[in-house]
Amino acid sequence: MNTLDAEKGRTLLVVGSVALDTVITPFGEGKDMLGGSAVYFALAASFYVPVQMVGVVGEDFPDSHVELLKSKGVDLEGLQRRKGNTFRWGGEYGYDLNQRDTLFTELNVFETFRPELPDAYRNTPCIFLGNIDPELQSLVLDQVGEPAFVAGDTMNFWIDLNPEKLMEVISRLDVLLLNDSEVRQMSGEPNMIKAARSLLERGARGLIVKKGEHGAMMLLPDECFFAPAYPLELVIDPTGAGDSFAGGFMGYLARCDVIGPSEIRTAVIHGSVVSSFCVEAFGVKRLAELTLEEIEGRAVEFKKMTMFDFHPAKGRRSD
Ligand code: AMP
């Protein structure tokens, strides 16, 4: 059980990429749209608590994007502006929206990024380490006091490149969020449950496995929970689904007084609901227009769809 001291304030810190994304899906395309793991996370979490963002952009980063983030209560004191171009990423999806091809990755100012936390961020109770070099994730944790709850994300690239450092960072997290193929890759185990258990044995304190349209699975040492994904008829652009899941998840937890298995379960539902909105439009468009009322309304529907009572069949053959 982690305790959150309300006196310290309800804030959430995120470090991650801030990008200009080009995305192609069967439903259209968008060029140089606002994106990046820290941005999707911050917009999603901003429905719950003020978010402090640590990242880097170049001179070409439009002021309108800065204004949008500020209008959602995102604190940008930790966002560095450097000489050069902003990180750019391009991705393309086919009709199977679970499959994505990376078209290009231009690191630009992100290549030499060193996260530097402003003093005001160093005692923030909840921290999310977006998908960046585990060396940098570790550098962030070295700059903070004793946070109440830390979660992090990673990707196949870092699992291949620096698995030792990654495991070291993971042992400092309360919860690691991964997608199913990353869990298999990290553990070398094809069965998902065994794979997730083996990561817990190797030092992860908690694990959330994101399975796209098949929902999410939470694994703690003594607790296992599955949540389906909200069934959507229209998915336009899946980019940012994982980061907005993390934003809803962490945003909910940052408002709790204590964080234990039951709060983490509810947080998984918040993550699922917020990310279900993210994918309904290109880039951050849907998140930017979203309201808390819409989130709560969909959460109630989600509960109705997934709740069931179990009754043994009457007149069973063994009776
Ligand atoms: P997701 O769809 O949740 O996996 O996140 C997509 C976001 O990740 C996009 O907005 C990209 O800008 C960002 N992204 C893609 N590749 C990288 C990378 N190598 N490092 C950091 N962020 C990235």
Side-chain angles (χ1 to χ4, degrees), residues 17-21 35-37 40 87-89 93 100 105 107 110 131-132 153 155 157-158 210 238-244:
S17 57
V18 180
L20 296 176
D21 285 347
S37 57
Y40 278 103
F87 171 62
R88 276 179 171 68
W89 173 82
Y93 302 82
R100 170 165 85 192
T105 303
L107 290 175
F110 198 41
N131 158 34
I132 54 171
D153 189 8
M155 68 187 289
F157 181 73
W158 302 117
K210 298 167 289 176
T239 311
D243 301 308
S244 54

